[in-house]
Amino acid sequence: MALIPTHRPRRNRKSEVIRNMVQETNLTTHDFIYPIFLTEGQNQLVEVKSMPGIFRYSADRIIDEIGACVELGIKSFAPFPQINEELKDRLARESANPEGLYLRTVADIKRHFPEVVLMTDVAMDPYSSDGHDGIVDAESGEILNDASLEVLGQMALAQARAGADIIGPSDMMDGRVAFIRDVLDRNAFSHVSIMSYTAKYASAFYGPFRDALGSAPKKGDKKTYQMNPANRREALRELALDEQEGADMVMIKPALSYLDIIREVRNATTLPVTAYNVSGEYAMVKAAAQNGWVDGERTMMEVLLSIKRAGADAILTYFAKEAAQVLRRG
């Protein structure tokens, strides 16, 4: 006669009500930061081919999109600009132009929706003729860390002046958190937060994003400043430095292939931890769903739940609007 089990975990799974009652991780729209793409022109709504359902918006169209998201309960956004090639140079000067696409649109969004939170991106690559996150030495091709800090600091200051609530340095230059914090504080923006890209890996999952912005490096790669995907302990070193330099929140990018890093960082800090569910992760789910290989909606929600379960307090995700619609349906 088979031994009858004393412990029966299935008792806590026997009905939907009980499953919901003991559920350990829950998603809400408060967990989402929605990345949005900006483009020049009027009445522009251009789908990103490698990211089905994601569009580039001109400044006039983005207001309607944000309004629709606010109605769904999404209140945090991360805008990224597609800059015309003729405006790019090696020092990314357009990044601090208050009349340029990015800063003008940030200010306009805050005028229409003062209650939303805007997390702006600090990195040179959208504005750089070289396509890198720092200044490229013309002779050696080296990314110049310390020379880039001044550009990043002025970029952050311009974004704060435009109305940014959170500055998100995604460049991975050494010392940039302390430098930006000092620039903001000296210019009466001590209330503006810094969400540091603490562990941003040199990942193959960024392809669709670079397609959306036209920001791929013209030469070389980003491996001398973005992290080696093979490394885990290095993320904790970056975390310690960001905490020391004054970061208010920290981020892991990408998310889905780096759930172990999210958990390591979550266990090591009391700061809020965010994770970026990046473009390639989004595109894989969408492609598989379009081919009928997976249930797209269920897979999307499972992906987001896994990121939060790993320890993320907030998730930057292109699924935000779609997931909010699912959550509203209950």
Side-chain angles (χ1 to χ4, degrees):
M1 184 175 179
L3 181 66
I4 298 174
T6 301
H7 300 284
R8 295 182 181 268
R10 287 185 55 192
R11 285 195 284 258
N12 288 342
R13 306 173 197 148
K14 65 185 177 185
S15 75
E16 183 177 5
V17 173
I18 292 177
R19 289 193 298 273
N20 290 339
M21 181 175 66
V22 300
Q23 183 165 314
E24 299 173 25
T25 307
N26 292 283
L27 283 171
T28 77
T29 54
H30 300 301
D31 300 321
F32 301 147
I33 303 171
Y34 193 16
I36 49 177
F37 295 127
L38 309 175
T39 193
E40 293 281 9
Q42 294 290 317
N43 197 31
Q44 295 296 304
L45 182 66
V46 183
E47 187 169 29
V48 180
K49 290 182 180 180
S50 54
M51 300 178 70
I54 298 299
F55 297 84
R56 302 184 193 95
Y57 298 88
S58 54
D60 54 331
R61 295 295 295 268
I62 197 62
I63 299 302
D64 290 339
E65 174 66 4
I66 288 181
C69 291
V70 169
E71 285 294 314
L72 289 168
I74 301 169
K75 299 292 181 66
S76 300
F77 301 87
F80 295 92
Q82 182 191 41
I83 302 298
N84 290 339
E85 287 296 321
E86 62 269 20
L87 296 176
K88 298 180 180 182
D89 61 43
R90 63 182 298 270
L91 297 179
R93 292 182 179 92
E94 182 65 13
S95 66
N97 177 10
E99 299 304 318
L101 169 67
Y102 194 59
L103 299 179
R104 187 181 73 242
T105 307
V106 166
D108 196 37
I109 292 170
K110 289 299 288 187
R111 278 194 297 271
H112 282 84
F113 300 99
E115 75 280 10
V116 306
V117 166
L118 291 185
M119 174 188 159
T120 52
D121 181 54
V122 172
M124 289 178 59
D125 55 334
Y127 314 92
S128 167
S129 52
D130 296 302
H132 278 282
D133 293 29
I135 298 172
V136 180
D137 184 272
E139 295 184 3
S140 68
E142 179 188 355
I143 309 304
L144 303 176
N145 190 99
D146 295 1
S148 301
L149 297 182
E150 185 64 38
V151 177
L152 299 171
Q154 292 307 306
M155 189 187 309
L157 179 59
Q159 292 173 0
R161 286 172 172 158
D165 301 284
I166 302 171
I167 300 297
S170 63
D171 56 285
M172 290 301 287
M173 297 297 114
D174 292 338
R176 89 276 203 209
V177 172
F179 193 94
I180 290 170
R181 182 74 273 161
D182 180 63
V183 170
L184 293 176
D185 290 352
R186 284 190 290 104
N187 286 275
F189 288 103
S190 59
H191 60 284
V192 174
S193 306
I194 295 177
M195 181 188 291
S196 175
Y197 285 60
T198 290
K200 181 179 180 181
Y201 286 86
S203 172
F205 287 100
Y206 302 149
F209 178 92
R210 293 173 182 168
D211 176 39
L213 296 189
S215 61
K218 301 300 188 292
K219 291 183 179 179
D221 55 43
K222 301 191 175 189
K223 292 180 180 179
T224 65
Y225 48 100
Q226 294 180 357
M227 286 176 54
N228 185 343
N231 292 357
R232 183 166 63 177
R233 295 191 304 272
E234 186 181 6
L236 299 181
R237 184 183 185 196
E238 292 282 1
L239 169 65
L241 290 170
D242 283 353
E243 288 182 316
Q244 178 183 326
E245 292 179 24
D248 299 287
M249 311 172 200
V250 296
M251 187 197 297
I252 313 304
K253 180 182 181 183
L256 194 54
S257 291
Y258 296 84
L259 296 177
D260 61 322
I261 309 301
I262 297 172
R263 174 48 56 185
E264 287 275 7
V265 170
R266 171 71 287 156
N267 288 344
T269 186
T270 58
L271 292 178
V273 175
T274 60
Y276 200 147
N277 179 209
V278 298
S279 58
E281 296 168 345
Y282 172 91
M284 287 193 305
V285 173
K286 285 295 183 181
Q290 287 179 346
N291 280 283
W293 298 335
V294 299
D295 180 320
E297 191 172 282
R298 287 186 60 197
T299 303
M300 168 185 72
M301 299 307 287
E302 187 174 337
V303 164
L304 295 175
L305 196 66
S306 73
I307 296 169
K308 190 171 183 190
R309 187 189 66 236
D313 299 293
I315 306 168
L316 279 82
T317 178
Y318 302 96
F319 288 123
K321 187 177 181 182
E322 192 176 349
Q325 292 167 336
V326 172
L327 292 172
R328 171 164 285 194
R329 293 201 310 266

